[in-house]
Amino acid sequence: MEYNSARNVLVMKEYGRNVQNLINLAIAEPDREKRNRMVKSIIDVMGQLNPHLRNTEDYKHKLWDHLFLMSDFKLDADSPYPLPEKEVLMRKPDPLTYPQTRFKHRSYGKLLMKMVQKAVAEENTEKKALITKVIGDYIKVVHTNWIKENVSDESVKVEIKTISDGQLELSEDMQLSKIFVQRTNNNNNNNNRNNNNRNNNNNRNNNNNRNNNNNNRRPNNNNNNRNNNNNVK
């Protein structure tokens, strides 16, 4: 028995070992015309094994590139596309630079801080007030989502002064959007639980009353039987 651990490593596992064996047979074929026919059949099989590639642009070109990659660039066949370079296909992509910027009040996110900077730099008074109001509404939404309680406008106005270092300020007559915390589901669940507990208690009381009534009836029947026996005597 031959184990996979003793076989050659597959370059592209999604095509399977059978396709890899076919490519090896095509490499070993000395007749060029027969080799080209074999390669075209292998390309058709590769397309059937990965039909999702048909939705991509130039999927045939990708199949030919995969073919040469799986052959370790040893296959000599007539390709309708330019032969790929090994250094280009095997080259690792450049690492992505992750932003390392640090800023205060990270709980609000970078976009809100950019809005604060834009509002501070805005020269138009009306537009500056509108941007500040949008910032206040967003802060109110964030507090409501995290704290699950309604936040007063005064607290939001103080928070705007804090994150803008005192450069932004909402007017006293400016009213922010009203946001209400929805607690209907929790309240309904609690009410249902209370109702279930009450029903259970009522059922228990009813069962206890029935047992007591049954117990009260039994002695009366015994006394009646005794009286009847005495009369017979």
Side-chain angles (χ1 to χ4, degrees), residues 137-151 179-182:
D137 291 336
Y138 180 76
I139 291 175
K140 201 170 185 179
V141 170
V142 171
H143 277 273
T144 304
N145 290 336
W146 282 97
I147 305 176
K148 301 299 182 182
E149 293 182 358
N150 292 326
V151 183
I179 301 172
F180 298 98
V181 181
Q182 296 181 356

Side-chain angles (χ1 to χ4, degrees), residues 186-200:
N186 293 332
N187 291 333
N188 290 334
N189 292 332
N190 291 331
N191 292 331
N192 291 332
R193 289 177 184 173
N194 293 331
N195 291 331
N196 291 331
N197 292 331
R198 289 175 185 172
N199 293 331
N200 291 332

Side-chain angles (χ1 to χ4, degrees), residues 3-180:
Y3 294 96
N4 287 331
S5 58
R7 297 176 177 177
N8 295 330
V9 179
L10 293 177
V11 179
M12 301 187 70
K13 297 181 180 180
E14 55 267 29
Y15 291 106
R17 189 167 297 277
N18 290 331
V19 175
Q20 184 69 53
N21 293 333
L22 290 175
I23 294 174
N24 294 335
L25 290 176
I27 294 173
E29 177 59 41
D31 188 1
R32 187 177 186 85
E33 294 183 1
K34 188 176 180 180
R35 189 190 315 134
N36 287 330
R37 292 196 300 268
M38 292 175 63
V39 168
K40 291 181 180 179
S41 300
I42 294 172
I43 289 292
D44 293 336
V45 173
M46 292 170 63
Q48 293 176 3
L49 292 175
N50 291 279
H52 61 278
L53 291 178
R54 298 178 182 178
N55 298 328
T56 61
E57 187 177 359
D58 295 336
Y59 84 99
K60 281 284 188 181
H61 194 177
K62 290 185 178 181
L63 292 178
W64 279 93
D65 289 344
H66 292 171
L67 176 70
F68 287 109
L69 180 62
M70 294 172 67
S71 67
D72 196 16
F73 301 93
K74 297 177 181 179
L75 181 62
D76 185 13
D78 297 332
S79 173
Y81 304 99
L83 296 178
E85 297 180 1
K86 184 176 181 179
E87 293 77 11
V88 175
L89 290 180
M90 302 301 293
R91 184 179 61 187
K92 295 182 179 180
D94 297 332
L96 295 175
T97 57
Y98 190 80
Q100 298 292 336
T101 56
R102 297 182 177 274
F103 54 92
K104 296 180 180 179
H105 312 286
R106 298 179 64 182
S107 58
Y108 295 121
K110 187 185 293 185
L111 294 179
L112 182 69
M113 302 311 297
K114 288 183 178 179
M115 290 180 63
V116 171
Q117 295 175 1
K118 185 175 181 180
V120 171
E122 182 61 44
E123 297 179 356
N124 191 346
T125 306
E126 295 182 359
K127 192 173 181 179
K128 186 173 185 176
L130 291 175
I131 297 175
T132 307
K133 182 181 181 303
V134 172
I135 294 172
D137 291 336
Y138 180 76
I139 291 175
K140 201 170 185 179
V141 170
V142 171
H143 277 273
T144 304
N145 290 336
W146 282 97
I147 305 176
K148 301 299 182 182
E149 293 182 358
N150 292 326
V151 183
S152 61
D153 292 352
E154 288 75 14
S155 301
V156 176
K157 292 177 182 179
V158 172
E159 190 69 15
I160 290 176
K161 286 184 180 179
T162 303
I163 64 177
S164 64
D165 296 330
Q167 298 181 8
L168 294 179
E169 185 176 358
L170 283 173
S171 59
E172 296 182 356
D173 58 345
M174 178 70 72
Q175 293 183 357
L176 299 175
S177 301
K178 293 182 179 181
I179 301 172
F180 298 98

